[in-house]
Amino acid sequence: MIPSAAALPVHLTNVVKRYGRRTVLDGVSLDVLPGITGLVGPNGAGKSTLVRAMLGLVRLAAGTVRVFGLDPQREPRAVRQSIGVVPEDECSVPGLSGVEMVRYAAQLAGLPGIEALRRAHEVLDWCDAGQERYRPVETLSVGVRQKVAFAAAIVHDPQLVILDEPTNGLDPLERRAMLGRLTTLAREHGKTILISTHVLPDVQAICERVIVLAGGRVRLSGSIRELTLPPAPEDRLEGIGPLDDMLMSLAGRGITARRVAPAPEAAPVSPAQRGAILFDASSAGSVPAVWEAARATGVVVLSLERAQRALEDVFLEAIAQADVPAHAAIGSSPGDDDATA
Amino acid sequence: MPLHDVGYRPWRGKRRGYGHAVGVIAGTGIRLAWTSRWLRRAVFFAWSPALLFAASFFAFEQAVDQGQLGTMQEQARAGRNLDGVGVLGAVLARSLGAPPPDGRPLDANSTRHMVWARLLLAFMRAPQAVLLAVVVGLVAPTLISRDLRAKAWLVYFTRPVGKLEYILGKMAVLGVLVAAITMLPALALWALGVLVSPSVWVAVATWDLPLKIILASLTLAVPTVLMALAYSSLTAESRIASFAWFATWAACWIAHTALTTADLVAAAEVTRLSREAAAQESFFADEAFGEFASVPPVRPRSAPRGFRWLSRAAGLDSEIDRWAWLSPYHALGVVQAWIFGIETRWRAVLPPLVSLLTVTAVSILVLWRRVDAPARA
């Protein structure tokens, strides 16, 4: 059930923001619902400006922003009390150690001194910061610094956590752990998470909804599950064995099917043995026919599920409407968002 | 993996008010600044002039206790310098030199008040104001420029911290240091004076001096701290802010000295011309009347050697410093003298006061615009 506008974590209506003659946000209207939402867009799309508008840091030319029903322009402190932000830019107070930095963030959010220190250690433990927390922040590796920034953002237990490139600089294990923490916060603790990122697989892995911003406008917004559904219903079979024989068998049964690349990490089997087939699922008898074909050709079925398009394809289609060159969105490395966005 | 990892837990404690951030920013700022060895040395050194002034307080109270005020007054009237009691000599020579208006014998209490006020003014104006410039110059330039450089403004302005709390927190860092080198030693001097005086009732007779010390310290702190922070907010390079700070003090001091010297030269020229005119007149008078008509010039008593700077700082110069508004050091001195009740001429106080208020207002405007400028960019 979608909550009312006043109770929504974030509710924007016709937001316009200009820097001089340049319009960065052009009539942006969107809602961020409880759960995990991805905010994606090419460089200069206005993502960072949008986040700053939610924090009440920029003055808008038009439109309204409400965060948990509060206006960030009028009540910035109350709004920021309920928000935790992990900025894309590395930011720290020089001279403070990791744990001091998190404690400082807690104290600035109103936690009393001793309690802030206890809470800082607790959150850093959860983020697996280890003994590195006692070193000055400027001497930490990028990954640990990212953990400290994340701990500083959630130490005061905010209801809304906004992360700009949260997996930037993390190795694959740490990246997976970070995404796991975000999922835990959202599903077990009811936090609203807004992730601004270029890494679309991350968005597809953990987000429930996505907002595509390009050229200062919302190009696409909605549930990822719905947005990535193919135009015609298709099912996807992952299996091991003679999949080409199975394709011929399906053709003989009048079912349109094609071979596609298997999903990475789908099973502990080498990619050479694995394969995937997409087949038309519009008719009721297609699934039984597929099972019969698999049995007849000796294919071991690993999974059979409703097929979905890659978010990247959806994203490219969406920004194509905004006349934004595709390479600006996909070819760039994570974290090189420009200053205007 | 920690032994007692409790996972993520919600926090349901009571939060402090938004003003709490001022104390947090100030506390952390002071702790970080105090890690500088040079700052620790400067603050320690800043207390050393207090020893000199403590000796003067002690000497004065000894003179009062031994009934030597009258003798000192006679010496002062005779134009003798009182260097034997240090800074006090300069102060006493002027304070005691003038005859009492109603011819009554010297009143120890009123003399004490005047002498203490001048001593405290000299202490705050001469050594401490210079040390303040050094200490603020060491700390202030890094306070905001380092935040801009390290993008630490994001740490503050993504949390419930407003511009006001941020600026007040940074001001408090410097305010504490300024208080440590001006207000606290001055209050300690006053307390020492009470302790070495013949009676503790002296504290009642001089009750207003601690308040004046606090007010004078605030006068010293507010414009200087705001100006230093404004410089710091204008650049991400603390070296540039530091250079600008010291250059302002030095350039304004030099400009003040140059203009004051030019005035003195002009005045001396006028005096020379008038003397020549007078000599010409007396020549004609002598020719006319055949007798010695000129009057020998009266030499004014000069300030004791070695303490001229301090005696000037104690408000012993009767001339109005018409260029004081130009230099922060001199403007602060005149306003402090006004607070201590030593400078009472409004036309002497007004220009420096307006100058300091202007510096304060401009600094506030600059700070208000600059501290969150990167967030708006």
Side-chain angles (χ1 to χ4, degrees):
Chain A
M1 188 182 75
I2 297 174
S4 65
L8 280 172
V10 180
H11 177 65
L12 274 70
T13 314
N14 290 322
V15 169
V16 178
K17 171 65 190 169
R18 295 190 188 95
Y19 290 116
R21 289 182 176 180
R22 199 159 54 92
T23 303
V24 180
L25 297 177
D26 188 7
V28 171
S29 297
L30 59 87
D31 292 333
V32 176
L33 303 177
I36 309 180
T37 303
L39 177 64
V40 295
N43 294 332
K47 301 191 295 292
S48 297
T49 303
L50 195 67
V51 171
R52 287 177 187 181
M54 292 175 197
L55 291 165
L57 288 173
V58 291
R59 196 172 291 277
L60 302 174
T64 57
V65 179
R66 293 288 180 273
V67 178
F68 296 111
L70 300 173
D71 183 354
Q73 291 287 337
R74 295 186 178 200
E75 299 169 271
R77 293 179 182 87
V79 167
R80 292 178 205 163
Q81 191 82 267
S82 59
I83 298 181
V85 181
V86 181
E88 181 193 355
D89 295 319
E90 283 177 13
C91 60
S92 61
V93 178
L96 293 184
S97 68
V99 67
E100 286 171 338
M101 184 67 223
V102 180
R103 179 198 188 184
Y104 191 42
Q107 286 184 297
L108 289 176
L111 272 68
I114 302 282
E115 184 62 18
L117 183 61
R118 187 196 65 73
R119 174 86 181 159
H121 278 294
E122 189 177 303
V123 174
L124 283 167
D125 281 345
W126 187 60
C127 294
D128 204 16
Q131 297 302 304
E132 297 287 298
R133 72 186 72 178
Y134 297 108
R135 282 174 45 195
V137 177
E138 55 267 28
T139 67
L140 295 174
S141 64
V142 177
V144 180
R145 240 180 285 179
Q146 192 75 345
K147 286 180 186 177
V148 169
F150 179 61
I154 61 170
V155 69
H156 61 292
D157 194 31
Q159 280 307 301
L160 169 64
V161 183
I162 301 173
L163 305 102
D164 208 341
E165 302 293 354
T167 54
N168 204 2
L170 299 181
D171 62 43
L173 282 176
E174 286 296 345
R175 177 181 148 269
R176 186 178 286 188
M178 173 64 85
L179 296 179
R181 285 181 203 114
L182 294 177
T183 310
T184 304
L185 281 179
R187 296 193 182 145
E188 294 179 19
H189 299 281
K191 308 292 182 198
T192 301
I193 314 272
L194 180 65
I195 304 175
S196 170
T197 183
H198 287 105
V199 188
L200 298 178
D202 284 355
V203 174
Q204 195 156 14
I206 64 165
C207 293
E208 292 143 25
R209 279 168 298 279
V210 68
I211 298 164
V212 178
L213 200 67
R217 291 183 183 175
V218 175
R219 301 292 168 181
L220 198 66
S221 173
S223 155
I224 289 184
R225 181 173 290 275
E226 289 168 10
L227 291 174
T228 53
L229 282 178
E234 281 185 323
D235 281 353
R236 178 189 178 91
L237 179 143
E238 291 261 353
I240 304 168
L243 289 167
D244 291 334
D245 295 349
M246 188 176 167
L247 278 178
M248 290 171 64
S249 174
L250 285 173
R253 289 174 166 82
I255 295 173
T256 311
R258 68 182 188 278
R259 186 100 188 247
V260 292
E265 307 163 12
V269 182
S270 75
Q273 294 175 298
R274 273 194 292 129
I277 287 175
L278 279 181
F279 60 91
D280 181 11
S282 53
S283 68
S286 59
V287 173
V290 165
W291 280 112
E292 280 175 21
R295 191 176 55 194
T297 54
V299 170
V300 178
V301 177
L302 297 173
S303 65
L304 179 61
E305 60 188 359
R306 180 50 53 97
Q308 290 195 305
R309 299 163 69 203
L311 182 61
E312 190 171 309
D313 297 335
V314 177
F315 173 77
L316 286 173
E317 280 174 19
I319 64 165
Q321 301 164 15
D323 298 328
V324 176
H327 69 269
I330 303 303
S332 55
S333 62
D336 60 0
D337 204 1
D338 69 12
T340 59
Chain B
M1 176 66 72
L3 288 174
H4 302 291
D5 186 3
V6 292
Y8 183 84
R9 295 194 300 183
W11 192 79
R12 297 281 177 265
K14 192 177 178 188
R15 290 173 199 260
R16 300 271 173 89
Y18 298 130
H20 172 66
V22 176
V24 173
I25 294 168
T28 305
I30 290 166
R31 194 163 57 80
L32 288 174
W34 199 245
T35 56
S36 161
R37 191 179 297 166
W38 284 105
L39 178 69
R40 291 200 298 269
R41 284 175 184 165
V43 172
F44 180 76
F45 180 71
W47 276 73
S48 52
L51 297 175
L52 178 71
F53 284 82
S56 297
F57 270 87
F58 182 72
F60 174 77
E61 290 305 328
Q62 283 292 304
V64 173
D65 197 31
Q66 293 167 10
Q68 293 177 347
L69 264 187
T71 314
M72 292 172 85
Q73 185 183 27
E74 284 169 13
Q75 290 177 341
R77 276 186 202 157
R80 289 180 57 192
N81 291 335
L82 302 171
D83 287 353
V85 284
V87 183
L88 184 64
V91 176
L92 277 181
R94 177 60 62 92
S95 305
L96 306 178
D102 50 3
R104 285 185 304 178
L106 206 60
D107 176 13
N109 269 339
S110 58
T111 308
R112 174 183 288 117
H113 193 281
M114 180 171 51
V115 168
W116 282 24
R118 284 186 186 272
L119 280 174
L120 288 168
L121 174 66
F123 174 70
M124 296 188 73
R125 195 172 167 184
Q128 299 316 97
V130 175
L131 287 165
L132 171 138
V134 173
V135 168
V136 171
L138 281 174
V139 179
T142 62
L143 280 177
I144 296 178
S145 60
R146 200 163 55 169
D147 283 354
L148 295 175
R149 191 183 177 89
K151 296 181 179 171
W153 55 271
L154 279 165
V155 173
Y156 298 100
F157 299 126
T158 56
R159 294 188 168 76
V161 178
K163 281 196 280 190
L164 184 64
E165 289 96 286
Y166 179 78
I167 293 171
L168 288 177
K170 296 293 181 184
M171 279 183 72
V173 174
L174 293 173
V176 167
L177 290 173
V178 169
I181 59 173
T182 57
M183 191 167 69
L184 292 182
L187 287 173
L189 275 179
W190 175 80
L192 180 81
V194 172
L195 288 175
V196 297
S197 63
S199 162
V200 289
W201 288 105
V202 168
V204 178
T206 57
W207 67 272
D208 60 324
L209 288 180
L211 298 179
K212 287 178 175 175
I213 288 169
I214 293 169
L215 198 59
S217 296
L218 286 175
T219 305
L220 202 58
V222 172
T224 51
V225 162
L226 281 170
M227 187 170 74
L229 288 178
Y231 279 145
S232 181
S233 70
L234 287 170
T235 173
E237 288 285 343
S238 60
R239 287 172 299 175
I240 296 173
S242 203
F243 174 79
W245 167 256
F246 286 114
T248 301
W249 282 77
C252 291
W253 189 308
I254 290 167
H256 173 268
T257 307
L259 290 167
T260 309
T261 307
D263 275 1
L264 286 174
V265 169
E269 184 67 13
V270 169
T271 309
R272 189 182 63 79
L273 290 174
S274 59
R275 275 188 188 163
E276 280 178 6
Q280 195 98 11
E281 275 180 23
S282 67
F283 171 78
F284 288 123
D286 288 348
E287 286 290 311
F289 300 107
E291 59 186 52
F292 186 70
S294 58
V295 180
V298 179
R299 289 190 65 184
R301 190 176 58 244
S302 64
R305 286 178 189 169
F307 292 100
R308 279 184 186 153
W309 183 42
L310 289 171
S311 63
R312 203 177 298 134
L316 299 180
D317 270 357
S318 57
E319 292 295 318
I320 287 179
D321 184 355
R322 71 188 189 108
W323 298 110
W325 61 272
L326 197 60
S327 159
Y329 173 80
H330 296 91
L332 286 166
V334 172
V335 176
Q336 283 181 313
W338 175 58
I339 289 168
F340 276 102
I342 291 163
E343 178 58 85
T344 53
R345 294 165 296 184
W346 192 237
R347 65 192 176 95
V349 177
L350 192 60
L353 191 62
V354 170
S355 166
L356 292 178
L357 288 174
T358 307
V359 166
T360 305
V362 171
S363 300
I364 289 171
L365 281 176
V366 169
L367 273 172
W368 198 256
R369 287 290 302 167
R370 286 291 306 164
V371 290
D372 68 341
R376 288 182 276 110

